[in-house]
Amino acid sequence: MSEHDDEAGQTTRRGDLSRGGPSRHQPANSELSAGAGHKPANSELSAGADSGSEDLTVSRRDLKKGKPGRSGKAPKAAKAPRTPKATKTPKAPKPTKASRAARRTDATGRRGIRGLLGRGATAPAGTEAPSQSFPSGSAPVARPNTSSRSSRLRELPQITLPRVQIPSALTDTGARLLDVTNSRLRPVVVQTEPVWRPIAAGLRWISPLGWTVLLLGIAAWIVAATWGWTELAMVAVGCLVLFVLCLLLAIGRTKLAITTEVDPARVTVGDPATGRIAVTNLSVRSLLPLLIELPVGRTAARFILPPLAAGKVHEELFVVPTQRRGVIEVGPATTVHGDPLGLVRRTVEWTDRTELFVHPLTTPLEPLGAGLLRDLEGQTTQDLSMSDLAFHALREYQPGDDRRYIHWRSSAKHGRLLVRQFLDTRRSHLSIVVDTTPDSYTGGEDAVELAISCAASLAMRSILDEQDTTVVVNDQSASRTTAPLTLDSLARASVGPVDVFASSGEASALAPDASVGLLVTGSHRPFIQIQRALAQFEVEVIKVALVIDPDTEVGVRRLGDITLLSVRELADLQRVLFSGVLA
């Protein structure tokens, strides 16, 4: 094989160019292996040899121009036999819109899969590759061909667990068994009640410590009897004897008469309240020392009754805490029979519960201006009447009119009988709604208590002025009643979330003839809710909103048809009502 240097001084073989790889510099006398044997470099190759072994020298300049030139004379290589022309493959038909859409869908799905798998990763099995046309005689790489489901792979898999269903036969069988059991056992339980009721009551006497001592004695007795352990037998005898003695101390009938009193039954927050309990021995024998318990609200008062002779009376006094508004239950008084160790405890109730009302704080208010004084006579309406307080005009006498209303001076002047004509009047009615939601106030529950105190002060002033009064506070309401009963309802009211819209509707239903509607709320309640709540009253009703806010200025504002009063404390109520806003 002949080689020579081109213009760049490098040696190139045509066989290397045909294989696409650069040639290596070899000496002139190097030998190349062709087939199975070795031949010298200057030997000629036969025409039937491999075309890759043909030695032709091509210059680099010809390669740059795109023409493979020859430098020097080289022997012509024998022409390789022509391969038969391949039959032309028929042109593929032009793709339709549906096929192009399908290709775009497949390509989009493949890109989505590649994005999910990461760059350089292959698509999972079952993903369809885009269709391509290959010339005849070529062998494309086989790829799995399935239906296009690429759009489904974008969604995360969802796992649905089957709901466990109990067969209806089991549920029906259980229901029938319960019915049969109840129908058969209930008569037996009712018939044997005189037997098991005292036993159940006696078992309740034993405290947990008493059950522990009893079980310890029984267990020690069994072990001592089984293994002959003398020490355990002594422990068992001690536990059982102690339990029996304590049980005997609790058994017995006591004849007593216990009375409890709380004076006064109604107090204001902070006022002192004392109670008295009197115990009378009705037995013919002396009474041993006895423990008496009297629940007072969330606490309990305990008294040790000294030895009491027959027919004697012993009294004890106790103090009731009244620091907060509410209803304090006193009683029932119970006697405790038992032992000093507390193994057995038998309690017997002797009295009923007594309620002590702790009313909210109130402040004295002056009459609410001229409007309130006019309301004492009644607000006039457009309805004419023949008997009322508001004089309207004079008219001619008609048969049937009351002669008491004849105006004789005017009749003598005009020469005919004239009678007085009146207008119907109605009494003033104050309707108060209190918002007890702590979140509506700046101070929480303490601010709610202040709001209840303001409502109580207004209600007391209205009742003293002989007006009808209706109060709605959370779950309590009072309408057209006395001052003590109204304050009792305010004392029972609980603090908690409330729907002011529903409360205003209840107040409107209780007082359809209300002349003033007042809502007591906090600064955190939106004004639109205040407006909707007061809209439950009639159009002619005076609407007032009393806002409790310690951070605002005390004053009176007018917002549409609503008068807005702002107070910081209970003493500010007199200042805002001085202008007669409720007139």
Side-chain angles (χ1 to χ4, degrees):
M1 183 180 298
S2 61
E3 296 179 358
H4 64 88
D5 296 337
D6 57 2
E7 295 177 358
Q10 297 181 359
T11 304
T12 307
R13 290 191 309 169
R14 188 171 183 177
D16 295 335
L17 293 176
S18 64
R19 287 191 295 268
S23 63
R24 297 180 179 178
H25 295 282
Q26 298 180 358
N29 56 358
S30 61
E31 297 179 356
L32 299 174
S33 61
H38 298 278
K39 293 184 181 180
N42 55 0
S43 63
E44 296 182 356
L45 299 176
S46 61
D50 187 8
S51 61
S53 63
E54 183 181 2
D55 294 343
L56 293 178
T57 305
V58 183
S59 64
R60 186 175 291 270
R61 178 178 298 173
D62 295 336
L63 289 175
K64 292 180 179 180
K65 294 180 180 180
K67 297 179 180 181
R70 297 181 180 179
S71 60
K73 293 182 180 181
K76 295 182 178 180
K79 295 182 178 180
R82 293 185 177 179
T83 58
K85 294 183 179 180
T87 58
K88 294 184 179 180
T89 58
K91 294 183 179 180
K94 293 184 179 180
T96 61
K97 293 183 179 180
S99 61
R100 286 196 297 269
R103 289 182 182 180
R104 284 196 298 270
T105 304
D106 295 343
T108 304
R110 189 167 59 256
R111 284 196 298 269
I113 295 171
R114 289 178 180 175
L116 292 173
L117 297 176
R119 293 186 177 181
T122 59
T127 305
E128 182 181 358
S131 59
Q132 297 180 358
S133 59
F134 297 93
S136 62
S138 61
V141 180
R143 296 181 181 177
N145 185 14
T146 58
S147 60
S148 175
R149 294 193 301 270
S150 58
S151 59
R152 300 179 183 176
L153 295 177
R154 300 181 212 170
E155 301 178 358
L156 295 177
Q158 297 181 357
I159 301 176
T160 303
L161 297 178
R163 180 180 295 177
V164 179
Q165 295 182 354
I166 301 176
S168 59
L170 294 178
T171 57
D172 296 341
T173 303
R176 286 195 297 269
L177 289 176
L178 288 177
D179 294 340
V180 172
T181 304
N182 291 335
S183 61
R184 292 183 178 180
L185 290 182
R186 189 178 298 277
V188 177
V189 172
V190 173
Q191 293 175 2
T192 58
E193 184 176 0
V195 178
W196 61 263
R197 179 74 68 180
I199 297 176
L203 293 178
R204 285 196 294 267
W205 296 356
I206 305 174
S207 65
L209 179 60
W211 284 112
T212 303
V213 173
L214 178 61
L215 294 178
L216 179 61
I218 295 174
W221 183 276
I222 294 174
V223 174
T226 304
W227 284 282
W229 199 340
T230 307
E231 290 80 1
L232 282 181
M234 297 177 62
V235 171
V237 171
C239 292
L240 294 177
V241 170
L242 178 62
F243 179 80
V244 172
L245 291 177
C246 295
L247 188 60
L248 291 176
L249 290 175
I251 295 176
R253 175 173 291 183
T254 304
K255 294 182 179 181
L256 296 175
I258 300 178
T259 58
T260 57
E261 295 178 0
V262 179
D263 187 34
R266 293 178 174 89
V267 295
T268 308
V269 174
D271 292 346
T274 57
R276 184 180 67 90
I277 180 172
V279 182
T280 305
N281 184 11
L282 302 178
S283 177
V284 295
R285 295 177 298 177
S286 297
L287 185 66
L288 296 177
L290 192 64
L291 176 63
I292 298 178
E293 293 184 352
L294 182 65
V296 180
R298 297 181 180 179
T299 61
R302 291 179 173 85
F303 311 99
I304 301 297
L305 185 66
L308 194 62
K312 297 297 181 178
V313 180
H314 179 78
E315 294 184 357
E316 291 283 349
L317 299 178
F318 58 92
V319 179
V320 181
T322 59
Q323 284 77 19
R324 293 188 65 86
R325 174 194 59 86
V327 179
I328 300 176
E329 293 185 351
V330 179
T334 59
T335 57
V336 180
H337 302 265
D339 59 281
L341 299 179
L343 272 65
V344 179
R345 178 185 173 89
R346 173 192 171 195
T347 60
V348 180
E349 295 183 357
W350 296 93
T351 61
D352 296 330
R353 288 180 174 85
T354 304
E355 292 183 339
L356 172 63
F357 292 91
V358 182
H359 293 162
L361 288 172
T362 57
T363 182
L365 300 176
E366 297 294 333
L368 305 178
L372 182 59
L373 295 177
R374 185 185 70 242
D375 288 345
L376 293 178
E377 296 180 354
Q379 292 183 348
T380 60
T381 64
Q382 299 301 321
D383 299 332
L384 297 178
S385 174
M386 288 301 299
S387 176
D388 217 312
L389 297 177
F391 174 75
H392 177 58
L394 293 175
R395 64 173 179 82
E396 292 187 3
Y397 176 82
Q398 295 180 1
D401 290 341
D402 194 345
R403 295 182 181 180
R404 292 178 301 171
Y405 299 114
I406 297 176
H407 197 271
W408 296 104
R409 183 176 300 178
S410 300
S411 298
K413 183 178 179 180
H414 292 82
R416 61 182 185 275
L417 292 178
L418 297 177
V419 295
R420 298 182 183 92
Q421 181 73 56
F422 300 93
L423 291 176
D424 277 340
T425 59
R426 63 178 180 179
R427 294 174 57 84
S428 296
H429 193 150
L430 177 62
S431 182
I432 305 173
V433 179
V434 182
D435 182 9
T436 59
T437 305
D439 295 339
S440 301
Y441 297 85
T442 302
E445 293 187 2
D446 294 337
V448 175
E449 297 295 335
L450 177 58
I452 295 176
S453 297
C454 292
S457 302
L458 291 170
M460 290 296 295
R461 181 70 263 177
S462 176
I463 293 174
L464 290 176
D465 292 336
E466 298 182 356
Q467 293 184 2
D468 293 336
T469 306
T470 298
V471 179
V472 176
V473 185
N474 202 348
D475 54 347
Q476 299 294 324
S477 62
S479 180
R480 295 182 178 91
T481 184
T482 60
L485 294 180
T486 302
L487 292 177
D488 289 349
S489 299
L490 292 174
R492 290 183 183 275
S494 59
V495 177
V498 67
D499 186 2
V500 294
F501 185 80
S503 298
S504 299
E506 181 181 357
S508 178
L510 291 174
D513 57 343
S515 57
V516 179
L518 189 142
L519 173 63
V520 185
T521 183
S523 58
H524 295 227
R525 176 71 65 179
F527 180 75
I528 185 64
Q529 296 183 8
I530 298 175
Q531 192 174 16
R532 289 181 63 248
L534 292 176
Q536 297 292 313
F537 297 97
E538 299 296 334
V539 178
E540 66 273 7
V541 176
I542 300 175
K543 301 176 178 62
V544 182
L546 180 61
V547 179
I548 309 298
D549 188 4
D551 301 329
T552 189
E553 295 183 359
V554 179
V556 181
R557 290 180 295 171
R558 188 82 178 179
L559 298 177
D561 59 342
I562 298 177
T563 303
L564 194 64
L565 309 180
S566 300
V567 298
R568 295 181 179 178
E569 54 187 13
L570 187 59
D572 298 332
L573 189 60
Q574 176 65 34
R575 296 170 52 188
V576 297
L577 296 178
F578 182 75
S579 58
V581 294
L582 300 184

